[in-house]
Amino acid sequence: MNNKIVLFDLFDTLLIKVWFDYDKALSCLADKYFGRKDELFVLAKEYREKYMLDRNETHTETSFSDQLKYYEKHLGNKLSKPYCDVEWEIFSICREEKLADGAIELLAYLKTRGYKLAVLSNSIFSSATLKKYLNGFGLLAYFDEVISSADILYRKPSTKAFDAALEKLGAKASPNIHFIGNKRDKDYEGALAAGLTPILVTDCSLTQIKEFFEQTYLYVNSISERESLADGPGLRTVIYFQGCKRACKNCHNPSTWALSEGKRYTVEELAKLIRNKAANKKITLSGGEPLLQGKAIENLLERLSDFDICLYTGGDFGDISDTMKNRLHYIKVGAFDNTCRTTIKPFVGSTNQEFINLRSGK
């Protein structure tokens, strides 16, 4: 089962309210479609009292289309446009939002790493309307699904709302799936009750959430079944990390290139797996390009401080943080160059690469 799934609340999570005026929407609805403004406002008040005031208790939703039908019935007027067109028009004039800081960066990072992303929003407006709105902010392309409570008829924190969203993604509830929202009762407690792991943006920013994912999760192509003599001194277990942007000609491991693939581990999970697998405590971190996951690898090195660790990178020595250097024993630096290919120089694939013993003389 794909555990690379993140769901988002929409309003005041990805989009921050500038202003909202529902009376302005009702005035427009009266002026353009129904007339009889005073009567429409009375009907709107009646509708809220009959169908909307208890939503927080029942966790059920009524849609804007239902409201339009209510107004048609009681005013005796039929709308001249389809409900979806009227809904989008009214939605567009009653609000203004701005993009939350760090939203694009977080979504782009997750999408690049192969996550399925979805919006689950409590809203009287349909998912079709929310999609149009998201598209105006350049966000729609990041999402596999956009789900509104208006369509599924259940509101957060109902577990039925979360289950409906997961069903659309072809997934089942798991603590490996995150829900990011801004309300403790609806988003945090609702996601927790549904079996997901919640993150509140009131406790941190979207930028900090991106940093959390970068520091917490590692993406691995494979771990060698047999110990290697070619990837550093001694018999070593090799971890091939997923993702590389270099695309060196005749690379021996092109299956590690795609950032969107690979199995996801938490740092703790991978550290435990390595301890169980590498009995002699000699490992090599290869790829792919491990430095693309530098923050999480620093955390991995901390948890394997008693290991003999070698790093293979296509980068330069200066690209490696001092934190890493202080915890590594060996480093191979330099991108593979097919014109300088060698089978003689130990532990490298081309003569332009350098193998460095960081502990020599210690």
Side-chain angles (χ1 to χ4, degrees), residues 1-5 116 166 169-177 263-264:
M1 182 183 295
N2 181 12
N3 62 359
K4 292 163 66 174
I5 295 174
K116 281 188 175 182
L166 292 173
L169 292 167
K172 293 184 179 180
S174 166
N176 291 319
I177 298 173
K263 184 172 181 179
R264 186 185 79 171

Side-chain angles (χ1 to χ4, degrees), residues 9 38 40 73 78 94 112 134 159 171 174 178 241 316 356:
D9 176 49
D38 290 343
L40 182 65
K73 176 181 177 180
K78 286 291 183 182
C94 73
T112 298
L134 282 164
T159 56
S174 166
H178 292 272
F241 289 94
D316 298 325
I356 303 167

Side-chain angles (χ1 to χ4, degrees), residues 54-272:
D54 64 348
R55 290 183 304 166
N56 288 338
E57 285 73 39
T58 65
H59 307 317
T60 57
E61 188 64 273
T62 60
S63 70
F64 187 70
S65 293
D66 291 332
Q67 288 190 48
L68 294 177
K69 293 173 186 176
Y70 187 83
Y71 301 150
E72 284 182 326
K73 176 181 177 180
H74 288 82
L75 292 173
N77 288 14
K78 286 291 183 182
L79 290 168
S80 59
K81 290 183 179 180
Y83 291 151
C84 59
D85 293 342
V86 176
E87 177 181 303
W88 171 244
E89 183 178 5
I90 299 305
F91 176 92
S92 299
I93 68 166
C94 73
R95 67 193 317 122
E96 180 182 343
E97 267 90 16
K98 64 180 181 179
L99 197 60
D101 291 342
I104 292 288
E105 293 79 5
L106 172 59
L107 295 172
Y109 169 78
L110 293 172
K111 202 66 178 176
T112 298
R113 274 295 172 188
Y115 282 77
K116 281 188 175 182
L117 305 179
V119 164
L120 175 59
S121 176
N122 281 355
S123 177
I124 63 171
F125 298 103
S126 68
S127 59
T129 289
L130 299 186
K131 286 178 182 179
K132 286 184 181 180
Y133 200 50
L134 282 164
N135 197 44
F137 288 92
L139 297 183
L140 183 60
Y142 291 106
F143 293 104
D144 297 270
E145 295 287 346
V146 176
I147 302 110
S148 169
S149 59
D151 297 323
I152 60 176
L153 306 182
Y154 292 101
R155 293 169 57 83
K156 298 172 293 181
S158 170
T159 56
K160 292 180 179 179
F162 293 94
D163 289 344
L166 292 173
E167 183 177 358
K168 288 181 178 292
L169 292 167
K172 293 184 179 180
S174 166
N176 291 319
I177 298 173
H178 292 272
F179 185 89
I180 299 171
N182 73 301
K183 289 186 170 59
R184 182 164 294 277
D185 55 345
K186 296 178 176 64
D187 296 328
Y188 189 94
E189 294 177 4
L192 201 61
L196 312 182
T197 295
I199 302 176
L200 272 183
V201 294
T202 51
D203 294 337
C204 56
S205 67
L206 295 182
T207 299
Q208 289 171 317
I209 294 172
K210 176 176 178 285
E211 292 171 353
F212 162 79
F213 276 92
E214 289 176 327
Q215 295 169 3
T216 303
Y217 293 107
L218 287 159
Y219 306 89
V220 175
N221 177 274
S222 61
I223 300 175
S224 62
E225 290 299 322
R226 296 181 179 179
E227 293 171 323
S228 169
L229 283 168
D231 297 278
L235 284 168
R236 313 185 77 84
T237 300
V238 185
I239 298 92
Y240 297 97
F241 289 94
Q242 185 70 38
C244 185
K245 300 178 181 180
R246 299 182 186 278
C248 299
K249 185 178 179 180
N250 290 341
C251 169
H252 76 290
N253 207 0
S255 66
T256 65
W257 290 1
L259 274 75
S260 60
E261 298 178 8
K263 184 172 181 179
R264 186 185 79 171
Y265 296 90
T266 65
V267 170
E268 289 78 8
E269 287 170 341
L270 188 56
K272 182 178 179 180

